[in-house]
Amino acid sequence: MRKGYLLQVTIILSTLLYPTARAADIDSMAEAFAAQAKRCWERGETAHAVKLYKQALDHEVKDDNDELYKALLYNNLGECYRRVADQPSQLSLMEPDEAAREVCLGKAEENLKNALRIKEAKSSSSTNFIYIARSIENLASVYKTQNQTMEAEALYRKAIAIREEKEGKGATSCASDYLAIGEILTTDRHFNEALEALKKSLALYTVTSPPNDNVLGICHQKIAYLYLNWNKLALAGDEYDKAVQIFSRNPTTAKKYLGNLEKSMPDFPLHAYSDACAEVEKIETDPSPSIATKRARMAILLKAARRYKRPASEIKFFQDQLIR
């Protein structure tokens, strides 16, 4: 009798002390799938990462002991969907009902909103937490990809407000947000505001990045593109050249970044050269241009000729004219 009683007590105590044995198994599977999803993400296999994060969530939702971990899974799944949407090779690997860019962007928005909802619920009455800023930024990226520029700008600015409240005015972590805002405002042709945002991004990245970091080149590239759309070709040329110089100093990545620069501004060198030629031709109609004016215009033409990769003999001629 006593043995039976002790056995019952042992079973009851075991249940009370170790109530999550099954949940632990579920957690283990969720964590295993999530860890493998991260590996796939890092390899660039985002379609596989989507499948694994979904499986991780399937197991994790059965266990309510860690809502913030669930939010992390939703966040990462949303980010994977967003990346798949911009990768045709990965999009083709998705399940048939998800193998469309618009569907993936919709799934990205849905999962990122789930992550944000959980984080806000766990933050009681306040929304000024850094982990909330991260989810807001990810959701803003989806809106930006969908060309919902007003919504994207609003969320990026909210993220900046949170970061500056928590990390101080001019927080360097806001650099990517300002860069994104600058791109959005360039698209919407709010050039003065765009320039302000891009310059803030460049200043913040300069504080935290080595002088030849490609991210600084990207900032100059975005500013060059802004000036090009603003029809300020001389200023665009200066920023274009700065981007080229930075990208060229990193041999292992130069081809990629210079290729992206050429893709974003394909006809710019020719436009800049033509504009410089027209500027120099004004000397012909100027009755008495000063030597300083001549030299300034020739310097513009020399820079444009180098950018456009004109023949060496032509470049030498401009150099000789500049020396005279």
Side-chain angles (χ1 to χ4, degrees):
M1 178 72 177
R2 185 168 179 76
K3 283 185 180 180
Y5 173 75
L6 287 175
L7 181 59
Q8 284 183 334
V9 170
T10 302
I11 292 171
I12 292 169
L13 285 175
S14 297
T15 305
L16 291 173
L17 292 174
Y18 307 103
T20 57
R22 184 170 177 273
D25 292 338
I26 293 169
D27 274 350
S28 297
M29 291 184 70
E31 289 164 8
F33 287 135
Q36 187 63 22
K38 185 173 183 292
R39 290 189 190 92
C40 290
W41 183 338
E42 290 167 349
R43 294 172 189 157
E45 299 171 347
T46 42
H48 295 327
V50 164
K51 182 177 180 180
L52 287 162
Y53 274 127
K54 284 167 68 176
Q55 288 180 285
L57 272 164
D58 285 344
H59 289 285
E60 181 62 27
V61 292
K62 296 172 185 174
D63 172 23
D64 295 329
N65 67 344
D66 194 346
E67 285 290 302
L68 285 177
Y69 181 61
K70 203 185 301 181
L72 173 66
L73 294 177
Y74 277 126
N75 179 81
N76 291 353
L77 178 57
E79 268 295 277
C80 284
Y81 271 120
R82 184 181 69 82
R83 295 189 184 200
V84 166
D86 288 329
Q87 298 173 316
S89 62
Q90 292 298 305
L91 202 55
S92 65
L93 300 176
M94 297 292 287
E95 296 295 326
D97 59 338
E98 293 186 346
R101 186 171 186 272
E102 295 75 16
V103 173
C104 283
L105 288 174
K107 293 282 187 180
E109 182 179 352
E110 176 189 339
N111 282 283
L112 290 170
K113 282 182 175 178
N114 282 337
L116 186 57
R117 173 181 50 77
I118 293 172
K119 289 178 181 182
E120 287 179 338
K122 299 299 277 187
S123 302
S124 63
S125 60
S126 178
T127 60
N128 63 341
F129 290 92
I130 294 299
Y131 58 76
I132 287 179
R134 292 193 191 104
S135 283
I136 288 173
E137 287 161 345
N138 291 337
L139 188 55
S141 296
V142 174
Y143 285 134
K144 180 171 174 281
T145 302
Q146 293 172 319
N147 292 320
Q148 295 178 248
T149 54
M150 289 187 297
E151 292 86 350
E153 182 184 352
L155 291 176
Y156 280 124
R157 291 196 185 279
K158 174 62 176 174
I160 288 171
I162 293 172
R163 289 188 178 280
E164 288 189 337
E165 182 178 343
K166 286 297 182 183
E167 300 174 343
K169 206 73 175 172
T172 54
S173 59
C174 296
S176 60
D177 294 336
Y178 278 118
L179 185 65
I181 290 172
E183 291 181 80
I184 289 167
L185 292 171
T186 298
T187 299
D188 288 348
R189 303 188 71 78
H190 299 305
F191 296 132
N192 282 310
E193 291 181 73
L195 182 60
E196 180 184 359
L198 291 172
K199 283 187 173 180
K200 280 184 180 178
S201 178
L202 177 60
L204 292 174
Y205 274 128
T206 300
V207 172
T208 58
S209 308
N212 296 334
D213 196 309
N214 284 322
V215 74
L216 301 179
I218 290 171
C219 289
H220 287 298
Q221 176 181 330
K222 301 299 181 186
I223 296 173
Y225 183 74
L226 161 67
Y227 279 133
L228 174 62
N229 284 273
W230 206 351
N231 200 31
K232 297 188 176 187
L233 294 190
L235 292 172
D238 291 340
E239 297 296 329
Y240 185 96
D241 291 341
K242 289 174 185 176
V244 169
Q245 288 170 9
I246 292 172
F247 294 151
S248 299
R249 290 176 192 147
N250 299 292
T252 56
T253 58
K255 184 177 179 180
K256 172 187 173 182
Y257 284 96
L258 289 171
N260 289 339
L261 175 62
E262 185 177 346
K263 185 178 179 181
S264 69
M265 303 172 66
D267 300 321
F268 174 70
L270 175 58
H271 287 321
Y273 181 71
S274 300
D275 184 70
C277 288
E279 189 69 20
V280 172
E281 284 174 5
K282 291 178 182 177
I283 296 174
E284 303 291 333
T285 59
D286 192 335
S288 56
S290 67
I291 293 176
T293 299
K294 287 182 177 179
R295 287 177 62 83
R297 288 173 176 167
M298 195 57 66
I300 291 171
L301 186 53
L302 175 59
K303 286 176 70 174
R306 284 174 173 157
R307 190 182 304 122
Y308 189 46
K309 298 179 181 177
R310 299 294 295 170
S313 57
E314 192 173 321
I315 291 175
K316 186 177 185 306
F317 170 76
F318 296 143
Q319 287 174 323
D320 292 343
Q321 292 294 311
L322 191 59
I323 293 170
R324 289 171 60 185

